[in-house]
Amino acid sequence: QVQLVESGGGLVQPGGSLRLSCAASGIIFSFYGMGWYRQAPGKQRELVAAVTSGGSTNYADSVKGRFTISRDNAKNTVYLQMTSLKPEDTAAYYCNAKGWRGGLEYVYWGQGTQVTVSS
């Protein structure tokens, strides 16, 4: 059974920092690309940051220079370090895993963790 369990969300003031974690189980973690998505009320879910199985990263323009995604294959965990947070970063943040096996793509989601940026 595949599980992605996010943690680290919460309430933070503008300009503050948070680190999200996503612990994966049930998959060969090192084979999967990992990503963080977010969804604000009334908006579509959007990609925030992603890291490939090889360690290449990409970011949404809105978070470049402020957020850093990283992975620890020994701990089956992906992180999202968020700094200089803005109110518009407020959203539910979801962990995502994508991998290929037998010619099929497998995609898994976590349950989400809320990030609220407010004074």
Side-chain angles (χ1 to χ4, degrees):
Q1 181 181 359
V2 177
Q3 283 192 312
L4 302 176
V5 180
E6 300 102 333
S7 61
L11 173 65
V12 63
Q13 292 187 341
S17 299
L18 280 176
R19 189 176 82 154
L20 305 183
S21 300
C22 171
S25 60
I27 59 174
I28 304 175
F29 182 78
S30 61
F31 287 3
Y32 280 72
M34 301 299 297
W36 286 97
Y37 288 71
R38 67 186 180 189
Q39 187 168 20
K43 294 189 177 181
Q44 288 189 329
R45 190 172 295 190
E46 62 175 357
L47 174 68
V48 176
V51 57
T52 68
S53 58
S56 298
T57 59
N58 68 285
Y59 298 90
D61 287 343
S62 59
V63 306
K64 281 181 181 176
R66 300 189 298 123
F67 290 11
T68 303
I69 189 170
S70 61
R71 63 188 299 157
D72 185 337
N73 288 344
K75 295 183 178 180
N76 288 359
T77 301
V78 62
Y79 304 97
L80 184 68
Q81 179 67 50
M82 305 186 293
T83 63
S84 302
L85 282 161
K86 305 175 181 180
E88 51 264 41
D89 295 318
T90 296
Y93 283 71
Y94 297 90
C95 179
N96 168 275
K98 291 182 183 179
W100 289 85
R101 189 170 70 247
L104 296 176
E105 184 181 43
Y106 290 80
V107 181
Y108 303 101
W109 292 93
Q111 83 287 352
T113 186
Q114 180 67 35
V115 172
T116 301
V117 184
S118 174
S119 55

